[in-house]
Amino acid sequence: MTFQRNPLNQDLLVLKNESAIARSIRNIVFTIPGEKFFDQTFGSRITRSLFENIDDISAIKIADEISESINRYEPRVSLISVKVYPNYDLNAFDALILYDVIGADVPAQELQFVLQPTR
């Protein structure tokens, strides 16, 4: 969160619509199961795959896990595609998620981020 303030009333800015959904998807992907109280299964298990060899097989495993997690925990979107590419130079994976927002008249949304192993 950025904790930016509204210049008119000094309240914190609230994420709405597409921004809120993008933040939710990002939270689902980066939350490790067991981190969320009262819902021990919430999140994705991609961290296990981040410590394996950087190759196409690991990229496929990560893409499948991201797809499963988003389909399970984010009912506001219809997933179009999840692509994960090995980035050998950075020892990481580049993820590209393409989805439609259900019930909204907006174009397909795209979310990109880098997945790196951390200790």
Side-chain angles (χ1 to χ4, degrees), residues 4-21:
Q4 293 177 348
R5 293 185 176 268
N6 183 330
L8 300 176
N9 60 12
Q10 299 302 314
D11 270 351
L12 294 177
L13 292 176
V14 178
L15 294 177
K16 293 185 179 178
N17 302 333
E18 296 85 32
S19 299
I21 292 172

PDB file of all heavy atoms in Angstrom, residues 4-21:
ATOM      1  N   GLN A   4      -0.993   6.934   0.364  1.00  0.00           N
ATOM      2  CA  GLN A   4      -1.137   8.292  -0.148  1.00  0.00           C
ATOM      3  C   GLN A   4      -2.409   8.897   0.425  1.00  0.00           C
ATOM      4  O   GLN A   4      -3.381   8.210   0.665  1.00  0.00           O
ATOM      5  CB  GLN A   4      -1.202   8.282  -1.671  1.00  0.00           C
ATOM      6  CG  GLN A   4       0.083   7.846  -2.315  1.00  0.00           C
ATOM      7  CD  GLN A   4      -0.054   7.784  -3.828  1.00  0.00           C
ATOM      8  OE1 GLN A   4      -1.141   7.853  -4.368  1.00  0.00           O
ATOM      9  NE2 GLN A   4       1.068   7.646  -4.501  1.00  0.00           N
ATOM     10  N   ARG A   5      -2.390  10.210   0.609  1.00  0.00           N
ATOM     11  CA  ARG A   5      -3.533  10.898   1.209  1.00  0.00           C
ATOM     12  C   ARG A   5      -4.321  11.658   0.153  1.00  0.00           C
ATOM     13  O   ARG A   5      -3.764  12.179  -0.801  1.00  0.00           O
ATOM     14  CB  ARG A   5      -3.058  11.870   2.277  1.00  0.00           C
ATOM     15  CG  ARG A   5      -2.467  11.172   3.469  1.00  0.00           C
ATOM     16  CD  ARG A   5      -2.119  12.189   4.537  1.00  0.00           C
ATOM     17  NE  ARG A   5      -1.630  11.541   5.719  1.00  0.00           N
ATOM     18  CZ  ARG A   5      -2.398  11.186   6.741  1.00  0.00           C
ATOM     19  NH1 ARG A   5      -3.680  11.421   6.709  1.00  0.00           N
ATOM     20  NH2 ARG A   5      -1.884  10.602   7.787  1.00  0.00           N
ATOM     21  N   ASN A   6      -5.614  11.711   0.383  1.00  0.00           N
ATOM     22  CA  ASN A   6      -6.481  12.523  -0.443  1.00  0.00           C
ATOM     23  C   ASN A   6      -6.204  13.989  -0.097  1.00  0.00           C
ATOM     24  O   ASN A   6      -6.277  14.380   1.066  1.00  0.00           O
ATOM     25  CB  ASN A   6      -7.941  12.168  -0.149  1.00  0.00           C
ATOM     26  CG  ASN A   6      -8.909  12.912  -1.021  1.00  0.00           C
ATOM     27  OD1 ASN A   6      -8.660  14.026  -1.444  1.00  0.00           O
ATOM     28  ND2 ASN A   6     -10.038  12.288  -1.270  1.00  0.00           N
ATOM     29  N   PRO A   7      -5.897  14.835  -1.080  1.00  0.00           N
ATOM     30  CA  PRO A   7      -5.550  16.228  -0.760  1.00  0.00           C
ATOM     31  C   PRO A   7      -6.721  17.036  -0.197  1.00  0.00           C
ATOM     32  O   PRO A   7      -6.507  18.041   0.476  1.00  0.00           O
ATOM     33  CB  PRO A   7      -5.084  16.800  -2.098  1.00  0.00           C
ATOM     34  CG  PRO A   7      -5.588  15.878  -3.128  1.00  0.00           C
ATOM     35  CD  PRO A   7      -5.788  14.559  -2.495  1.00  0.00           C
ATOM     36  N   LEU A   8      -7.955  16.595  -0.416  1.00  0.00           N
ATOM     37  CA  LEU A   8      -9.112  17.351   0.066  1.00  0.00           C
ATOM     38  C   LEU A   8      -9.449  17.069   1.517  1.00  0.00           C
ATOM     39  O   LEU A   8      -9.718  17.982   2.291  1.00  0.00           O
ATOM     40  CB  LEU A   8     -10.335  17.068  -0.811  1.00  0.00           C
ATOM     41  CG  LEU A   8     -10.175  17.437  -2.283  1.00  0.00           C
ATOM     42  CD1 LEU A   8     -11.406  17.019  -3.072  1.00  0.00           C
ATOM     43  CD2 LEU A   8      -9.922  18.921  -2.432  1.00  0.00           C
ATOM     44  N   ASN A   9      -9.436  15.796   1.911  1.00  0.00           N
ATOM     45  CA  ASN A   9      -9.849  15.468   3.281  1.00  0.00           C
ATOM     46  C   ASN A   9      -8.779  14.736   4.085  1.00  0.00           C
ATOM     47  O   ASN A   9      -9.032  14.310   5.201  1.00  0.00           O
ATOM     48  CB  ASN A   9     -11.144  14.660   3.269  1.00  0.00           C
ATOM     49  CG  ASN A   9     -11.005  13.357   2.525  1.00  0.00           C
ATOM     50  OD1 ASN A   9      -9.908  12.925   2.188  1.00  0.00           O
ATOM     51  ND2 ASN A   9     -12.138  12.720   2.263  1.00  0.00           N
ATOM     52  N   GLN A  10      -7.616  14.532   3.522  1.00  0.00           N
ATOM     53  CA  GLN A  10      -6.479  13.900   4.189  1.00  0.00           C
ATOM     54  C   GLN A  10      -6.708  12.437   4.562  1.00  0.00           C
ATOM     55  O   GLN A  10      -5.942  11.864   5.315  1.00  0.00           O
ATOM     56  CB  GLN A  10      -6.046  14.695   5.433  1.00  0.00           C
ATOM     57  CG  GLN A  10      -5.588  16.112   5.133  1.00  0.00           C
ATOM     58  CD  GLN A  10      -4.424  16.143   4.151  1.00  0.00           C
ATOM     59  OE1 GLN A  10      -3.472  15.403   4.288  1.00  0.00           O
ATOM     60  NE2 GLN A  10      -4.524  17.011   3.151  1.00  0.00           N
ATOM     61  N   ASP A  11      -7.775  11.811   4.050  1.00  0.00           N
ATOM     62  CA  ASP A  11      -7.993  10.375   4.246  1.00  0.00           C
ATOM     63  C   ASP A  11      -7.055   9.600   3.338  1.00  0.00           C
ATOM     64  O   ASP A  11      -6.556  10.117   2.345  1.00  0.00           O
ATOM     65  CB  ASP A  11      -9.433   9.995   3.900  1.00  0.00           C
ATOM     66  CG  ASP A  11     -10.359  10.094   5.086  1.00  0.00           C
ATOM     67  OD1 ASP A  11      -9.853  10.294   6.201  1.00  0.00           O
ATOM     68  OD2 ASP A  11     -11.573   9.977   4.882  1.00  0.00           O
ATOM     69  N   LEU A  12      -6.865   8.320   3.665  1.00  0.00           N
ATOM     70  CA  LEU A  12      -6.083   7.461   2.793  1.00  0.00           C
ATOM     71  C   LEU A  12      -6.868   7.174   1.516  1.00  0.00           C
ATOM     72  O   LEU A  12      -8.091   7.041   1.539  1.00  0.00           O
ATOM     73  CB  LEU A  12      -5.747   6.149   3.488  1.00  0.00           C
ATOM     74  CG  LEU A  12      -4.811   6.249   4.689  1.00  0.00           C
ATOM     75  CD1 LEU A  12      -4.633   4.875   5.319  1.00  0.00           C
ATOM     76  CD2 LEU A  12      -3.475   6.812   4.286  1.00  0.00           C
ATOM     77  N   LEU A  13      -6.141   7.088   0.402  1.00  0.00           N
ATOM     78  CA  LEU A  13      -6.791   6.770  -0.864  1.00  0.00           C
ATOM     79  C   LEU A  13      -7.229   5.311  -0.868  1.00  0.00           C
ATOM     80  O   LEU A  13      -6.518   4.441  -0.381  1.00  0.00           O
ATOM     81  CB  LEU A  13      -5.842   7.026  -2.039  1.00  0.00           C
ATOM     82  CG  LEU A  13      -5.492   8.487  -2.298  1.00  0.00           C
ATOM     83  CD1 LEU A  13      -4.477   8.574  -3.430  1.00  0.00           C
ATOM     84  CD2 LEU A  13      -6.726   9.277  -2.659  1.00  0.00           C
ATOM     85  N   VAL A  14      -8.378   5.045  -1.451  1.00  0.00           N
ATOM     86  CA  VAL A  14      -8.939   3.706  -1.502  1.00  0.00           C
ATOM     87  C   VAL A  14      -8.817   3.176  -2.922  1.00  0.00           C
ATOM     88  O   VAL A  14      -9.049   3.890  -3.889  1.00  0.00           O
ATOM     89  CB  VAL A  14     -10.428   3.732  -1.091  1.00  0.00           C
ATOM     90  CG1 VAL A  14     -11.037   2.355  -1.186  1.00  0.00           C
ATOM     91  CG2 VAL A  14     -10.582   4.290   0.303  1.00  0.00           C
ATOM     92  N   LEU A  15      -8.414   1.913  -3.039  1.00  0.00           N
ATOM     93  CA  LEU A  15      -8.367   1.282  -4.347  1.00  0.00           C
ATOM     94  C   LEU A  15      -9.771   0.888  -4.764  1.00  0.00           C
ATOM     95  O   LEU A  15     -10.540   0.369  -3.964  1.00  0.00           O
ATOM     96  CB  LEU A  15      -7.483   0.032  -4.304  1.00  0.00           C
ATOM     97  CG  LEU A  15      -6.012   0.254  -4.038  1.00  0.00           C
ATOM     98  CD1 LEU A  15      -5.307  -1.087  -3.945  1.00  0.00           C
ATOM     99  CD2 LEU A  15      -5.397   1.082  -5.133  1.00  0.00           C
ATOM    100  N   LYS A  16     -10.109   1.127  -6.025  1.00  0.00           N
ATOM    101  CA  LYS A  16     -11.444   0.798  -6.508  1.00  0.00           C
ATOM    102  C   LYS A  16     -11.350   0.050  -7.819  1.00  0.00           C
ATOM    103  O   LYS A  16     -10.397   0.192  -8.568  1.00  0.00           O
ATOM    104  CB  LYS A  16     -12.266   2.068  -6.711  1.00  0.00           C
ATOM    105  CG  LYS A  16     -12.579   2.790  -5.422  1.00  0.00           C
ATOM    106  CD  LYS A  16     -13.478   3.955  -5.681  1.00  0.00           C
ATOM    107  CE  LYS A  16     -13.789   4.640  -4.360  1.00  0.00           C
ATOM    108  NZ  LYS A  16     -14.613   5.806  -4.519  1.00  0.00           N
ATOM    109  N   ASN A  17     -12.377  -0.733  -8.069  1.00  0.00           N
ATOM    110  CA  ASN A  17     -12.590  -1.418  -9.336  1.00  0.00           C
ATOM    111  C   ASN A  17     -11.378  -2.220  -9.789  1.00  0.00           C
ATOM    112  O   ASN A  17     -10.940  -3.114  -9.090  1.00  0.00           O
ATOM    113  CB  ASN A  17     -13.047  -0.434 -10.399  1.00  0.00           C
ATOM    114  CG  ASN A  17     -14.314   0.287  -9.986  1.00  0.00           C
ATOM    115  OD1 ASN A  17     -15.094  -0.233  -9.213  1.00  0.00           O
ATOM    116  ND2 ASN A  17     -14.503   1.484 -10.496  1.00  0.00           N
ATOM    117  N   GLU A  18     -10.833  -1.889 -10.966  1.00  0.00           N
ATOM    118  CA  GLU A  18      -9.757  -2.683 -11.552  1.00  0.00           C
ATOM    119  C   GLU A  18      -8.500  -2.691 -10.681  1.00  0.00           C
ATOM    120  O   GLU A  18      -7.804  -3.696 -10.597  1.00  0.00           O
ATOM    121  CB  GLU A  18      -9.404  -2.177 -12.952  1.00  0.00           C
ATOM    122  CG  GLU A  18     -10.520  -2.311 -13.960  1.00  0.00           C
ATOM    123  CD  GLU A  18     -11.493  -1.141 -13.924  1.00  0.00           C
ATOM    124  OE1 GLU A  18     -11.055  -0.007 -13.624  1.00  0.00           O
ATOM    125  OE2 GLU A  18     -12.679  -1.350 -14.169  1.00  0.00           O
ATOM    126  N   SER A  19      -8.216  -1.586 -10.025  1.00  0.00           N
ATOM    127  CA  SER A  19      -7.032  -1.529  -9.158  1.00  0.00           C
ATOM    128  C   SER A  19      -7.170  -2.461  -7.962  1.00  0.00           C
ATOM    129  O   SER A  19      -6.207  -3.121  -7.575  1.00  0.00           O
ATOM    130  CB  SER A  19      -6.804  -0.105  -8.662  1.00  0.00           C
ATOM    131  OG  SER A  19      -6.592   0.766  -9.729  1.00  0.00           O
ATOM    132  N   ALA A  20      -8.357  -2.511  -7.391  1.00  0.00           N
ATOM    133  CA  ALA A  20      -8.591  -3.392  -6.245  1.00  0.00           C
ATOM    134  C   ALA A  20      -8.484  -4.856  -6.648  1.00  0.00           C
ATOM    135  O   ALA A  20      -7.932  -5.675  -5.910  1.00  0.00           O
ATOM    136  CB  ALA A  20      -9.966  -3.110  -5.638  1.00  0.00           C
ATOM    137  N   ILE A  21      -8.991  -5.187  -7.832  1.00  0.00           N
ATOM    138  CA  ILE A  21      -8.919  -6.569  -8.298  1.00  0.00           C
ATOM    139  C   ILE A  21      -7.479  -6.953  -8.602  1.00  0.00           C
ATOM    140  O   ILE A  21      -7.033  -8.051  -8.256  1.00  0.00           O
ATOM    141  CB  ILE A  21      -9.841  -6.764  -9.520  1.00  0.00           C
ATOM    142  CG1 ILE A  21     -11.300  -6.639  -9.077  1.00  0.00           C
ATOM    143  CG2 ILE A  21      -9.589  -8.106 -10.173  1.00  0.00           C
ATOM    144  CD1 ILE A  21     -12.292  -6.622 -10.203  1.00  0.00           C
TER     145      ILE A  21
END
